[in-house]
Every structure is written in structure tokens, then in C-alpha cells.
Amino acid sequence: LLQMFIMLHLRILLPHSFSVVAFQRIFMGNQIFLWGPALAEEEPGEVGEPEAPAADTRQPCAQWMGGVPGTPGHSGHPGRDGRDGHDGANGDKGDTGEPGEKGEPGEKGADGPMGPRGFPGNPGMKGERGESALIYRSAFSVGLTGPVPAANVPIRFTKFFHNEQRHYDDVSGKFRCVLPGAYFFTYHLTVYPRDARVSLYKNDKTIMFTYDQFQENDADQASGSIVLHLDVGDEVWLQVYGEEEFTGIYADNTNDSTFSGFLLYPDIPVADRRR
């Protein structure tokens, strides 16, 4: 057992570099055998020729006991990353996923620039026949039959040229609006034998003035015209303003003083416009 123990330790401890000149010592009884290349002993001072190597007397490995496994070595450092491989072939198209939930409405964007003008559209269908404008009528024309007797009161024109709708009242001397809309008023007055100052009133408010200075021994003329918008119930009339010395408005069989007015266009109600 001792011999086997020494032999095993020699195989383990001796480095591999000594495989040529190394020897194994095996004790067998009282003798020591050299295992390995035999070295010839030379006499001192003599140079001998090298002897041939001794015959290898080792026995097959099957007759020897295996050595004790060595201790595992330490892990080495990780190797460097290898080169990138080539791109693989495209995979098959996957199945269509389910639609996601509807998102919240976004904020309203800013108005974009105005686009170019489009082509004219096709004419629309002919509308229904509307009512005649003749149903909206209002007109009068009246005159004096003599000189104006007083100032600062409405002048009463009692001579009628036209007053079919009776919107002019000869008792009060005022025109009263029945149809709202735009009206045209005009007056043509003979001035004799004194100066004349006339004003046109609307609802007790003076709208316009006319003044004519009488020339002795010669009849004169004064006139005026205006367009007014009237609502239902509005009143319009002529009146001498100032002192009695300005009541020179005159009329006789050969000289007339007239006051006229008529509706230019009515204020059509919204309901009628939609027809």
C-alpha cells in the first residue's frame, strides 16, 4: 500500500515537463526500481558513449490505478461578442387586431383661410305667386280754397284732388299713417300778400322749414319736399310758425296751394316675406 501511495503521489506532483528525465520510484521489497529512461553511470573522469535507451518495461494502463481527479479550474473571462448575424426573412403577416375604443373629441381647430369662390349654383324653383303690391296703397293730394286764417295751428286743406283711402283728415288738417313704410311728402304754396313761414311737422316735432319773402305787387311761390318713414299712427301736417304777419299762404280761383303725399314702399311683415 505504501508503494502504491508513493507512486500515485509522484504521478500527481511531478510536472509533465519531467516526463523525459523524470523517474518513478517504486518500492518493491527492499529494492528501488527506476521507471523511465535509464541514465548510464559513468566512471569519474571517463567519457562514455551514450547507451541506448532502456527498454520500456511499463505495463499496460489496465494494471495501474487511475489518479485522483484534479480540482476544477476557475472560470475564464467572457469572450468577446460575436459579429452581428444577417437579418432573418420577414415573418408572416399577423392577424388584424380588434378596433380600439373611440377617443375623446379633440379641440376645435382654428378657422382655415377662405377658399376660392365657387361656381354659381343652378337657378332655384319658381316660387309661388305673391300678393300684388297694389294692396299696399296710401296717397292723398289736397289744396286750399282761401288764405290761411291763423298761425301755429295745422293748416286745413279742404279742396280734394285725391284721397281715396281717406288717410288725410280735412277736419284736423293731418295725414294719419295706416300702412307703415316710406312716404314722400311735397307742398307747393302761393305767397301773397305778405311773407310766409311754413313748417312740416311729424308728431308735434318740426321736421323742415320753408321761408318766402313776399315781393310787393307780385305773387310768389314756396315749396318743399321730403321722404319720411312712418309707423302706424304717425301724423304729418303743415303749419304756419311765428306771428300772424307770416301767414302769407294764399289761394283763390286762379292760384292754388297744395299739399300731397303717398306711400313709396311698405314695411312688409316677416310672415309675408316668407311666402
Side-chain angles (χ1 to χ4, degrees):
L1 293 176
L2 178 60
Q3 292 174 0
M4 293 179 65
F5 178 80
I6 293 174
M7 183 269 294
L8 293 174
H9 279 72
L10 287 174
R11 294 187 63 184
I12 295 172
L13 297 177
L14 288 177
H16 184 69
S17 60
F18 285 81
S19 60
V20 177
V21 296
F23 58 90
Q24 296 177 340
R25 294 181 178 182
I26 303 174
F27 292 90
M28 298 183 63
N30 293 326
Q31 295 181 359
I32 297 176
F33 293 88
L34 296 179
W35 188 268
L39 300 177
E41 295 183 0
E42 299 178 355
E43 293 294 333
E46 294 181 1
V47 177
E49 295 181 359
E51 296 182 359
D56 189 358
T57 59
R58 289 179 296 178
Q59 300 297 321
C61 294
Q63 297 181 6
W64 296 89
M65 182 180 295
V68 178
T71 304
H74 297 289
S75 299
H77 296 291
R80 292 182 298 178
D81 294 340
R83 296 180 180 178
D84 294 338
H86 298 290
D87 294 338
N90 294 332
D92 297 334
K93 183 177 180 181
D95 298 332
T96 304
E98 298 181 358
E101 298 182 358
K102 184 177 181 180
E104 298 291 336
E107 298 181 358
K108 183 179 180 181
D111 294 338
M114 181 178 295
R117 183 176 180 179
F119 295 101
N122 297 325
M125 298 179 62
K126 185 177 180 180
E128 297 180 0
R129 184 174 181 178
E131 298 179 357
S132 173
L134 296 178
I135 63 174
Y136 302 103
R137 295 180 293 182
S138 179
F140 73 95
S141 183
V142 293
L144 290 176
T145 56
V148 173
N152 300 317
V153 293
I155 300 174
R156 295 175 57 199
F157 294 87
T158 56
K159 185 177 181 179
F160 293 93
F161 301 105
H162 179 81
N163 193 27
E164 182 179 353
Q165 295 79 32
R166 299 183 180 276
H167 293 166
Y168 177 83
D169 181 15
D170 61 325
V171 176
S172 63
K174 298 178 180 180
F175 168 81
R176 184 177 180 84
C177 177
V178 176
L179 298 173
Y183 285 81
F184 175 78
F185 295 96
T186 184
Y187 52 87
H188 181 84
L189 307 174
T190 299
V191 179
Y192 181 84
R194 60 180 67 88
D195 296 343
R197 288 182 178 177
V198 179
S199 59
L200 184 141
Y201 280 79
K202 174 186 174 183
N203 299 335
D204 295 327
K205 181 179 180 180
T206 303
I207 301 301
M208 64 179 298
F209 296 94
T210 299
Y211 172 71
D212 185 81
Q213 189 174 15
F214 172 69
Q215 301 295 327
E216 189 174 355
N217 299 324
D218 188 12
D220 205 356
Q221 303 294 323
S223 61
S225 59
I226 192 172
V227 175
L228 297 175
H229 180 272
L230 302 181
D231 293 320
V232 175
D234 287 343
E235 294 179 330
V236 178
W237 68 90
L238 291 178
Q239 176 176 308
V240 173
Y241 70 92
E243 305 298 331
E244 296 293 334
E245 61 187 23
F246 297 110
T247 58
I249 300 174
Y250 180 80
D252 58 18
N253 294 334
T254 58
N255 294 279
D256 286 309
S257 292
T258 61
F259 178 38
S260 302
F262 54 88
L263 176 66
L264 290 174
Y265 55 87
D267 291 342
I268 301 176
V270 176
D272 293 344
R273 292 178 183 174
R274 293 178 180 175
R275 291 181 180 180

